[in-house]
């Protein structure tokens, strides 16, 4: 899913934050992977385990002095050639869509994490995986997560797959604005828990946005993005599948235990993404269907 090269993305508000970049060749250590799997399966933050697991060789680095660290992201061309700018550009396309679809919408903050950074929701790093923090309405993504998706979950993590992950996190922000988390509080894990319904709705919202992303326009009336190709849609569905709890449990060597699911199965995540893509935001009624239809 590519951007129109002359689209204007210069008014994005994404910033970089972090201290400590991975050393040892930039590879993600096994400790990071274990912590990531635990985080994805349980929703918790296990990055504090990293020293024990031997995976957190980090180096202190100075914060970027002033600025956002992403002034380089000015045009659609930048978004097509740079992973950080792709995310920065996509935030504008997401906000444009959701402003039209949710009354009282206000854009979340977005931070691209380098190494790790502390947040009101715990430490953000590739070990924690991408997440949305409701208490400061901020999305955190560490782009090294893409390589981890490729290596550990067999996903190709191409352009649209990356944008799908971002759109899923934006979906959680929309849920926050709509009061979904307040109306359907955490009632534990399990295949038809509120947690799984919340996650599948965020997948559905991501699909609804992808279907209309190419209609969103910048301040000059130029559309930001081109419509996704079939191959890109397959790639995004592949990503949705790869981060299904059943796949993560299999990849991590465990048996598939639906009672510990917090995100939904691979099949469910693909199906709800496709439901949003085909039928729109109104069809994302994951809290209204029975457990059998979820
Ligand atoms: Zn989620």
């Amino acid at each position: 899913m590519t951007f129109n090269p002359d689209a204007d993305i210069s008014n994005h508000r994404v910033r970089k934050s972090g201290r400590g970049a991975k050393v040892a060749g930039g590879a993600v250590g096994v400790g990071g992977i274990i912590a990531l799997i635990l985080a994805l399966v349980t929703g918790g933050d296990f990055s504090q385990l990293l020293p024990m697991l031997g995976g957190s060789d980090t180096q202190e680095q100075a914060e970027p002095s002033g600025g956002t660290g992403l002034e380089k992201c000015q045009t659609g061309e930048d978004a097509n050639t740079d992973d950080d700018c792709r995310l920065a550009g996509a935030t504008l396309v997401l906000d444009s869509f959701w402003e039209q679809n949710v009354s009282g919408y206000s854009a979340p903050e977005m931070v691209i994490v380098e190494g790790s950074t502390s947040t009101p929701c715990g430490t953000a790093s590739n070990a924690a995986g991408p997440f949305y923090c409701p208490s400061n309405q901020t999305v955190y993504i560490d782009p090294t997560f893409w390589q981890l998706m490729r290596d550990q979950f067999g996903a190709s993590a191409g352009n649209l797959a990356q944008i799908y992950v971002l759109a899923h996190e934006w979906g959680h922000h929309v849920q926050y604005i709509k009061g979904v988390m307040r109306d359907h509080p955490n009632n534990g894990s399990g295949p038809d828990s509120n947690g799984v319904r919340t996650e599948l709705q965020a997948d559905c919202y991501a699909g609804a946005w992808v279907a209309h992303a190419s209609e969103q326009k910048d301040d000059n009336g130029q559309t930001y993005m081109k419509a996704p190709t079939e191959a890109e849609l397959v790639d995004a569905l592949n990503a949705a599948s790869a981060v299904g709890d059943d796949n993560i449990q299999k990849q991590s060597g465990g048996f598939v235990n639906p009672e510990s699911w917090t995100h939904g199965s691979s099949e469910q995540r693909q199906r709800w993404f496709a439901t949003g893509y085909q039928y729109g935001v109104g069809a994302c009624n994951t809290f209204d269907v029975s457990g059998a239809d979820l």
Side-chain angles (χ1 to χ4, degrees):
M1 199 174 187
T2 52
F3 282 74
N4 287 313
D6 52 349
D8 180 4
I9 65 164
S10 61
N11 58 336
H12 76 82
R13 296 177 305 110
V14 179
R15 65 184 191 276
K16 274 195 163 181
S17 177
R19 49 169 206 286
K22 290 268 172 201
V23 293
V28 177
V30 66
I33 290 156
I34 291 167
L36 168 83
I37 290 165
L38 289 171
L40 285 173
V41 171
T42 65
D45 173 20
F46 292 87
S47 51
Q48 71 276 11
L49 291 177
L50 285 174
M52 276 185 281
L53 294 166
S56 88
D57 280 336
T58 56
Q59 252 177 357
E60 287 296 314
Q61 275 190 349
E63 297 272 348
S65 55
T68 62
L70 291 173
E71 290 83 358
K72 62 182 175 180
C73 306
Q74 296 286 319
T75 67
E77 179 66 35
D78 299 330
N80 286 335
T81 53
D82 182 292
D83 281 355
D84 291 346
C85 296
R86 182 175 303 113
L87 292 176
T91 65
L92 296 173
V93 192
L94 282 157
D95 288 333
S96 172
F97 174 77
W98 287 114
E99 275 162 14
Q100 296 157 38
N101 282 278
V102 175
S103 64
Y105 180 81
S106 62
E109 300 289 313
M110 160 92 183
V111 171
I112 292 179
V113 179
E114 283 193 308
S116 68
T117 193
S118 57
T119 85
C121 295
T123 303
S125 68
N126 65 348
F131 65 92
Y132 172 70
C133 181
S135 46
N136 63 354
Q137 298 176 49
T138 301
V139 172
Y140 294 91
I141 292 186
D142 178 339
T144 59
F145 182 74
W146 312 137
Q147 192 55 43
L148 208 139
M149 277 175 71
R150 292 183 193 109
D151 295 346
Q152 292 302 304
F153 304 120
S156 58
N159 294 358
L160 184 52
Q162 295 174 18
I163 289 173
Y164 150 76
V165 170
L166 180 72
H168 171 97
E169 301 307 332
W170 238 251
H172 286 316
H173 177 64
V174 169
Q175 291 172 322
Y176 173 80
I177 290 173
K178 289 182 164 199
V180 169
M181 285 105 155
R182 180 194 62 223
D183 296 343
H184 305 280
N186 188 347
N187 60 357
S189 58
D192 63 353
S193 61
N194 284 344
V196 168
R197 291 175 189 274
T198 301
E199 294 302 330
L200 294 176
Q201 187 178 58
D203 288 335
C204 186
Y205 284 168
W209 170 76
V210 167
H212 295 280
S214 66
E215 298 159 15
Q216 311 305 318
K217 293 176 180 168
D218 68 14
D219 291 343
N220 306 318
Q222 162 75 57
T223 52
Y224 286 111
M225 303 181 95
K226 296 173 178 153
T229 64
E230 285 293 318
E232 286 169 335
L233 283 173
V234 168
D235 192 37
L237 285 168
N238 180 22
S241 163
V243 293
D245 285 340
D246 53 349
N247 191 50
I248 292 168
Q249 288 182 353
K250 279 181 208 151
Q251 294 286 325
S252 58
F255 54 92
V256 178
N257 172 16
E259 289 311 314
S260 65
W261 290 0
T262 55
H263 283 74
S265 70
S266 295
E267 184 276 326
Q268 284 175 307
R269 298 200 71 170
Q270 296 196 51
R271 181 159 43 79
W272 280 104
F273 177 88
T275 297
Y277 185 83
Q278 233 177 328
Y279 302 110
V281 176
C284 300
N285 57 343
T286 58
F287 291 94
D288 301 333
V289 299
S290 71
D293 291 330
L294 191 62

